[in-house]
Amino acid sequence: MTPSARNLIIANVATLVVAVVLKWDLGWLMWPFWMQSVIIGYFAFKRMMLLENFSTEGLKSNGRPVPETEAGKRSTAFFFLAHFGIFHLVYLFFLLGNHGGYGPLEVIALVGCGLGYLFSQRDTYAAQHAADLRGRPNLGALMFLPYLRVVPMHLGVMFGGAFDGGGVLALTAFMVLKTIADVGLDHADRKMAVKDLDEAESTRS
């Protein structure tokens, strides 16, 4: 197991423990997951903006291939930022409207969960960025991978009501789903980085 995958699991288990101790329902659990997804989006945007050598194979904008230029990179990164940001802004309004009314203890717990994930993801980003600088990652793949984060959130919104507000079983089931998505994305991201690095080094030799 990679350190990043281990950190993801630890962060999610810690969040589950907090949710059970504070008796959060399923909707409340979506708050730390929303923060995690925003953090993922931030580092994905930063990662794309700092690319130096990259590929845009298969990536199109308005029916035209995206050029492998600084302008092409920046337009793609800012498109992702706008689209991903608007999506999460809508979710924020949903959460405020349906799962607001939090007290100081809940705020402290949420901030703690968010900071723990931020530090974990920062270490993951550092390793990914180092591989990006040595390899030739695909810009389109980097842009689309973070969207896998929203799948568990969608499922939570659609099926959360069936759990009558939650309970330990519902919280655990939702957490397992989110953790699978987290670890799966982390694995895919690292595998892609290694592949791009190997291909770049093979081209140089």
Side-chain angles (χ1 to χ4, degrees), residues 37-117:
S37 192
V38 170
I39 292 169
I40 289 292
Y42 164 74
F43 280 113
F45 172 75
K46 183 178 180 180
R47 184 179 177 186
M48 284 186 281
M49 289 294 290
L50 293 180
L51 288 176
E52 295 181 359
N53 186 24
F54 58 92
S55 167
T56 60
E57 182 180 358
L59 181 62
K60 294 184 178 182
S61 177
N62 296 323
R64 298 180 179 179
V66 174
E68 294 179 2
T69 62
E70 181 68 18
K73 179 189 73 175
R74 291 179 64 87
S75 65
T76 300
F78 277 102
F79 171 80
F80 165 81
L81 181 65
H83 189 270
F84 202 76
I86 291 172
F87 180 89
H88 284 79
L89 182 62
V90 171
Y91 257 110
L92 176 61
F93 285 127
F94 168 83
L95 290 174
L96 288 172
N98 293 273
H99 304 287
Y102 39 82
L105 186 60
E106 283 78 10
V107 172
I108 293 173
L110 287 173
V111 170
C113 291
L115 288 176
Y117 193 82

Side-chain angles (χ1 to χ4, degrees), residues 1 23 35-36 39 49-50 93 102 108 130 157 159 166-167 175:
M1 179 182 296
K23 298 181 179 179
M35 290 190 295
Q36 288 182 10
I39 292 169
M49 289 294 290
L50 293 180
F93 285 127
Y102 39 82
I108 293 173
V157 171
F159 301 115
M175 177 64 74

Side-chain angles (χ1 to χ4, degrees), residues 2 4-13 15 29 32-41 84 117 120-121 124 128 145-153 174-190:
T2 63
S4 58
R6 183 179 64 250
N7 291 339
L8 287 170
I9 293 173
I10 292 174
N12 283 343
V13 170
T15 301
L29 192 58
F33 289 161
W34 178 86
M35 290 190 295
Q36 288 182 10
S37 192
V38 170
I39 292 169
I40 289 292
F84 202 76
Y117 193 82
S120 172
Q121 195 61 31
T124 298
Q128 293 169 338
L145 276 175
Y147 285 94
L148 295 177
R149 294 291 184 188
V150 306
V151 173
M153 296 175 68
F174 192 63
M175 177 64 74
V176 169
L177 179 64
K178 183 62 167 63
T179 302
I180 290 173
D182 283 341
V183 175
L185 177 58
D186 179 76
H187 175 74
D189 208 352
R190 282 183 171 273

